[in-house]
Amino acid sequence: CMMLIGVQRMRMALLADLTTERRQRRRRYMEILILTNNMLLNSAIVPQRSRRALWMKSRNKVFWERDVLTVFDDEDWKANFRMTRGSFHKLCGIMEGVMKPAEVTVRAPIPLEMRVAIVLYKLASCAQYRVVGNQFGVHKSTVKKMVYQFCTGMVTSALGHFIKVPTTEEAIGIATRFEQKFNIPQIIGCIDGTHIPVLPPSEGYKDFVNREGWPSYVVQGVVDDMYR
């Protein structure tokens, strides 16, 4: 009995010591936590944002301002933009309502002519946005934005002035002339296509191969009795 009582007392003593140690450990942890919080509040540590090295890079526009505007002749325009200078200015007039820069901007806006030239250079060369941007001295995201504006505006507004379905009165007149010339009634248009041979780029060669097995651009058109 005395031995059992002794063992029980030892157990109780050990439990008391463990409880005391846990309390002391918890108290030290709370003291360290409070001290750390006070240090952070007193020092007012605020995370600092990294400073930008510069706001706008200085880009080279020699190709556009010197070469294209002053040196290029019609052959150079055809080689780089697939059209003559006169056709280019007509296209700029057509796209003015779509791509004209805003009057109020933070920086000097990109002129309309340069915007259209960037798009034509991109579409004519299949070059990357980065390459075209470096050529004209603009950021690659600007090139992407211009291409999107041009293609969207061309489909939604510009093409409607040149390619459209004839009205009822126009269709009756076309059908009447077709029947008078060729004795075939109810014809308002003739459709056909042709392949224009091209030299495709090494990257994406398969995108230009037609069903005959050689690279080309496909042109399809519909004309009336006057070949328009």
Side-chain angles (χ1 to χ4, degrees):
C1 292
M2 296 298 295
M3 291 179 63
L4 291 173
I5 293 172
V7 171
Q8 190 175 3
R9 288 178 177 176
M10 290 177 62
R11 288 179 177 176
M12 293 176 63
L14 288 173
L15 288 173
D17 292 341
L18 289 173
T19 303
T20 304
E21 185 178 354
R22 289 174 182 172
R23 289 176 178 175
Q24 292 176 352
R25 191 184 305 162
R26 190 181 298 111
R27 186 182 299 111
R28 288 196 298 269
Y29 173 78
M30 293 300 297
E31 291 175 353
I32 294 173
L33 183 62
I34 293 172
L35 180 61
T36 304
N37 289 336
N38 290 335
M39 290 177 62
L40 291 174
L41 291 174
N42 292 333
S43 58
I45 298 177
V46 179
Q48 299 291 330
R49 295 179 60 183
S50 58
R51 297 183 60 186
R52 296 183 62 169
L54 47 85
W55 285 97
M56 184 177 66
K57 290 183 178 180
S58 176
R59 301 182 185 274
N60 190 343
K61 295 183 174 62
V62 172
F63 173 73
W64 169 251
E65 295 178 348
R66 186 192 65 186
D67 297 343
V68 176
L69 295 181
T70 60
V71 178
F72 273 23
D73 55 17
D74 274 351
E75 293 301 321
D76 294 323
W77 276 86
K78 290 180 182 178
N80 288 272
F81 304 107
R82 301 296 191 266
M83 63 179 61
T84 62
R85 186 191 295 265
S87 298
F88 172 78
H89 287 301
K90 290 181 180 179
L91 181 60
C92 290
I94 294 170
M95 300 304 297
E96 184 176 4
V98 177
M99 301 188 67
K100 184 179 180 181
E103 296 181 358
V104 180
T105 57
V106 178
R107 307 186 186 101
I110 300 176
L112 172 64
E113 291 77 10
M114 184 176 175
R115 294 174 180 234
V116 177
I118 289 172
V119 176
L120 293 180
Y121 193 89
K122 163 63 180 171
L123 298 178
S125 64
C126 298
Q128 299 177 356
Y129 292 120
R130 172 179 51 82
V131 176
V132 178
N134 291 337
Q135 185 77 343
F136 284 85
V138 298
H139 194 267
K140 60 182 180 181
S141 62
T142 302
V143 179
K144 182 178 180 181
K145 176 182 176 182
M146 300 304 172
V147 172
Y148 179 80
Q149 285 182 344
F150 182 91
C151 295
T152 303
M154 182 63 70
V155 171
T156 57
S157 60
L159 284 182
H161 297 288
F162 304 99
I163 303 176
K164 59 183 179 179
V165 178
T167 64
T168 303
E169 295 180 358
E170 292 172 343
I172 293 174
I174 295 172
T176 301
R177 293 192 298 271
F178 260 117
E179 187 173 3
Q180 292 173 351
K181 291 181 179 180
F182 308 105
N183 296 321
I184 304 176
Q186 299 182 1
I187 300 296
I188 64 171
C190 296
I191 185 171
D192 197 6
T194 185
H195 290 272
I196 300 177
V198 296
L199 294 176
S202 57
E203 296 182 2
Y205 178 90
K206 295 186 295 183
D207 297 333
F208 294 85
V209 178
N210 57 39
R211 60 186 177 86
E212 301 294 338
W214 48 276
S216 67
Y217 278 130
V218 181
V219 177
Q220 190 178 60
V222 182
V223 298
D224 59 9
D225 61 299
M226 304 295 292
Y227 306 105
R228 296 175 300 185

